[in-house]
Amino acid sequence: SQTIHQWPATLVQPVGSPLSLECTVEGTSNPNLYWYRQAAGRGLQLLFYSVGIGQISSEVPQNLSASRPQDRQFILSSKKLLLSDSGFYLCAWTGAGTEAFFGQGTRLTVV
Amino acid sequence: AQSVSQHNHHVILSEAASLELGCNYSYGGTVNLFWYVQYPGQHLQLLLKYFSGDPLVKGIKGFEAEFIKSKFSFNLRKPSVQWSDTAEYFCAVNAGGGADGLTFGKGTHLIIQP
């Protein structure tokens, strides 16, 4: 069966520090991969999606970037974190014509 | 681009009450529709989905939803709620089954009082 791993679960980082959140999927090939940010009362906002290795689409301009170095690996990064980057980040995957499956999420607090 | 509107941000019900959470979307073409639930401290999980066929879909834990194309709606229902249904509920739409992800509503925080 397919599983999705996302880590770390919580992270506290100072302003201006770099960020790297990792997500891996097991049990499927060539998944579509997504990074969402969830804010209280605002639902889930799609940040990036990828349909293949090295293919990244950005939905909103921001201080973050994403990369897909391997088929089942999706990384969310920042060179210098801002206070406004605090939030709950979710990784998800879909297959062809399926619903999205979500990771456990990362609570990022920028201080 | 598609958008999703959930009518109620906070709903408080007593156990055994009936539930209906509204969801409307804006997109003129074929859509895939979803309801997700997030229980306290847990990850998002799928309640039910509509891709095609019977517009009344049944999901887990006694939930159902009805797709009304003419109203661009996909309301979630449960005849009798339980305390364990306390959670955040999200409606989501994927336009035409594309790979560009789901668009979510802002969520409804449901509290069931014993």
Side-chain angles (χ1 to χ4, degrees), chain B residues 16-91:
Chain B
S18 64
L19 170 72
E20 181 161 2
L21 301 182
C23 173
N24 287 91
Y25 66 92
S26 64
Y27 184 75
T30 303
V31 291
N32 297 331
L33 297 160
F34 308 86
W35 276 97
Y36 282 84
V37 60
Q38 188 172 34
Y39 297 105
Q42 297 187 26
H43 65 280
L44 275 165
Q45 53 188 290
L46 183 71
L47 263 183
L48 46 78
K49 62 185 177 184
Y50 172 81
F51 283 5
S52 64
D54 189 344
L56 182 62
V57 292
K58 295 190 183 298
I60 60 172
K61 304 186 179 185
F63 286 90
E64 64 179 31
E66 185 175 12
F67 170 50
I68 302 179
K69 188 175 182 180
S70 61
K71 295 185 178 180
F72 297 90
S73 69
F74 191 55
N75 292 354
L76 181 71
R77 301 195 292 249
K78 186 171 183 178
S80 176
V81 294
Q82 301 171 306
W83 177 79
S84 58
D85 293 324
T86 294
E88 189 96 20
Y89 292 81
F90 294 94
C91 182

Side-chain angles (χ1 to χ4, degrees), chain A residues 61-81:
Chain A
Q62 58 211 320
N63 185 43
L64 302 167
S65 62
S67 61
R68 185 170 178 173
Q70 299 180 46
D71 180 45
R72 289 170 286 178
Q73 184 185 29
F74 204 26
I75 298 172
L76 183 69
S77 304
S78 174
K79 292 182 179 178
K80 289 185 177 182
L81 283 169

Side-chain angles (χ1 to χ4, degrees), chain B residues 10-15 17 19 21 81 108-113:
Chain B
H10 291 90
V11 174
I12 301 175
L13 296 173
S14 299
E15 277 192 305
L19 170 72
L21 301 182
V81 294
T108 296
H109 188 200
L110 175 66
I111 297 174
I112 306 300
Q113 295 176 331

